[in-house]
Amino acid sequence: MTVMVFALLLLGAVPIALVLALTAMWYIYASGNTVLFASYPQQLFSAIESYGLLAIPLFMLAGELMNEGGLTRRLIALARIFVGGFRGGLAYINLIANMMMAAIIGSAASQIAIMSRAMVPAMEHEGYDKPYSAAITAAGGLLSPIIPPSMLFVLFGVIAQVPIAEMFIAGLLPGLLLGLAFFIVIAVVGLLQQYPRGQWPSRQQALADFAWGLPALSIPVIIIGGILLGIATPTESAALASLAALLIGRFVYRDLDLGRLPQVLRRTAVNAGLVIMLIAAAGVFGWVVVYEQLPQMAAAWIAALTTDPFMFLLLLIGVLLLVGMVIDGIAALILVVPIVLPIAQNQFDISAYQFGVVVCLTLVMGLLTPPVGAGLFVASSMTGAPPLKIFRALLPFLLATLIILVLLAWQPWLTEALIDR
């Protein structure tokens, strides 16, 4: 009966946070364990009682300040210096700028929204197909869960109780590998569609763009460098990045209007509040899942299917692709990790780092696949291109992502090589 309540609420377009919270309340009522109602508020609070979660609103704030302060525009100009003259040059610029923004924003949906506004009109002006332009921008959102700082990595680290800084490091090689795969896709599509060659900037313009781009480039350096060198925790790096974005946007580029700060802070608070509310509700739902001993039942079922770690991860990728198509990635992560991670570690000896990278990347693919596909609708609303046309243009990028996922499942060293043991 509890499963039916969950399904009805989900299909009834009830916000996922309410679906999880109400399903947990129904379970307590239907099971007759009404004494658990007394622990309900405590479970809600304990789910978000983690210092690491503070990084989420701070990274959101850094992204908002960068967009308002003109840092995004300078990063795009900086990318043009290196790839602007190739065939399909703007597509490469879009991807490199997305990789830089992935090292700052950490949220796929936010990244797609910001980069759609910045890149798609310019690509369309130079003769690129609008759905293809939107698809490259949306594909760039797939980089956000594995190139640090990733909000999903922050959340996974809190749930799995592994160091968030080490999760960030685990995502570096897979992120570069995925970026390389996307470069290959752009090169092949550019040749087949005969997209125009870009123009290399003049020496004078390149030097000017490089000089103006360095302050903006300092933001990902602060975040990643601070974590790798052990100078700052991920949360402290997020705070430093937000401060640096504010100072650079205001005093270096002079594009940041302090009068707009209240709107920036309000957007950050609303978006972060939605995420934190979802985490709290999912924490209560996870409490019910553990109480019902679902992890043990799932472990017995999976053990009957395979004993090979690689096959287990392939099965997990297939299941999570379906889950990600209908449930938000953050909610799915909170639901899946407490159940499946103990099985992966205890029965298949899979490290938390490999598991986390594979799970996070797989779930974000759901952001770009129907029927829900929130990322598709964000890209569509920002650009005016139909979601299904964007999805068709996205298929080569999704196929490349699947290949990388299989490679990550097959070769665990790709996620563990840079971690200091």
Side-chain angles (χ1 to χ4, degrees), residues 21 40 69 83 110 114 149 153 163-164 168 176 202 204 209 229 257 273 278 292 297 314 330 356-357 409 415:
Y40 193 93
V83 293
S110 299
I114 290 171
F153 278 1
I164 296 171
F168 283 179
L176 293 174
S202 65
Q204 184 178 3
D209 288 343
L229 296 174
D257 181 4
L278 179 57
E292 278 292 281
M297 289 187 282
L314 290 184
I330 293 176
V357 171
T415 53

Side-chain angles (χ1 to χ4, degrees), residues 1-2 5 22-34 37:
M1 186 63 184
T2 303
V5 170
L22 292 174
T23 302
M25 292 180 71
W26 171 263
Y27 166 79
I28 294 171
Y29 170 76
S31 65
N33 295 320
T34 52
F37 277 124

Side-chain angles (χ1 to χ4, degrees), residues 5 32 42 54 120 157 169 197 213 218 265 274 283 293 330-331 350 361 379 383 385 390 399 402 411 415:
V5 170
Q42 182 182 358
L54 186 59
V120 173
I169 295 170
R197 289 186 178 276
S218 68
L265 294 172
L274 291 173
Q293 296 187 323
I330 293 176
I350 295 170
L361 181 55
T383 63
I390 297 175
L399 178 61
L402 269 178
Q411 296 292 335
T415 53

Side-chain angles (χ1 to χ4, degrees), residues 359-377:
V359 167
C360 290
L361 181 55
T362 306
L363 288 176
V364 172
M365 284 186 70
L367 193 71
L368 301 175
T369 51
V372 178
L376 282 179
F377 291 102

Side-chain angles (χ1 to χ4, degrees), residues 23-301:
T23 302
M25 292 180 71
W26 171 263
Y27 166 79
I28 294 171
Y29 170 76
S31 65
N33 295 320
T34 52
V35 68
L36 295 178
F37 277 124
S39 300
Y40 193 93
Q42 182 182 358
Q43 292 297 326
L44 276 173
F45 180 76
S46 64
I48 57 174
E49 192 182 13
S50 171
Y51 171 73
L53 290 177
L54 186 59
I56 292 178
L58 288 172
F59 280 127
M60 285 182 170
L61 178 60
E64 290 283 354
L65 289 171
M66 283 196 67
N67 204 39
E68 288 287 341
L71 281 75
T72 306
R73 184 157 38 88
R74 268 71 178 202
L75 287 177
I76 293 170
L78 184 63
R80 187 183 292 272
I81 299 172
F82 302 103
V83 293
F86 295 131
R87 182 179 299 280
L90 265 182
Y92 290 110
I93 292 169
N94 192 345
L95 183 59
I96 289 180
N98 266 296
M99 291 181 75
M100 293 177 184
M101 294 303 290
I104 299 162
I105 298 177
S107 164
S110 299
Q111 184 174 327
I112 292 169
I114 290 171
M115 297 306 295
S116 293
R117 292 198 300 268
M119 287 303 304
V120 173
M123 291 184 68
E124 192 179 6
H125 178 71
E126 292 199 15
Y128 293 82
D129 189 45
K130 183 187 284 188
Y132 176 68
S133 304
I136 292 176
T137 309
L142 288 168
L143 297 166
S144 67
I146 52 176
I147 292 182
S150 162
M151 286 189 202
L152 287 183
F153 278 1
V154 172
L155 190 53
F156 178 84
V158 171
I159 298 170
Q161 296 184 345
V162 298
I164 296 171
E166 291 188 359
M167 275 305 304
F168 283 179
I169 295 170
L172 285 174
L173 276 180
L176 293 174
L177 201 59
L178 187 60
L180 177 62
F182 285 177
F183 273 116
I184 295 171
V185 171
I186 290 173
V188 172
V189 173
L191 285 173
L192 293 176
Q193 300 292 333
Q194 288 295 299
Y195 280 118
R197 289 186 178 276
Q199 288 188 345
W200 295 106
S202 65
R203 181 184 295 273
Q204 184 178 3
Q205 184 64 48
L207 288 173
D209 288 343
F210 184 78
W212 278 106
L214 284 179
L217 195 61
S218 68
I219 306 295
V221 171
I222 288 171
I223 294 172
I224 299 174
I227 294 169
L228 289 179
L229 296 174
I231 298 171
T233 67
T235 302
E236 291 164 352
S237 293
L240 289 172
S242 299
L243 177 61
L246 174 66
L247 295 176
I248 292 169
R250 177 59 182 167
F251 298 108
V252 178
Y253 297 142
R254 300 174 185 260
D255 287 351
L256 181 61
D257 181 4
L258 293 181
R260 293 186 58 80
L261 274 182
Q263 292 99 308
V264 170
L265 294 172
R266 181 179 178 276
R267 284 199 303 268
T268 303
V270 169
N271 292 332
L274 291 173
V275 174
I276 298 301
M277 180 179 176
L278 179 57
I279 293 169
V284 176
F285 189 85
W287 171 51
V288 168
V289 165
V290 172
Y291 194 85
E292 278 292 281
Q293 296 187 323
L294 289 183
Q296 291 87 332
M297 289 187 282
W301 177 72

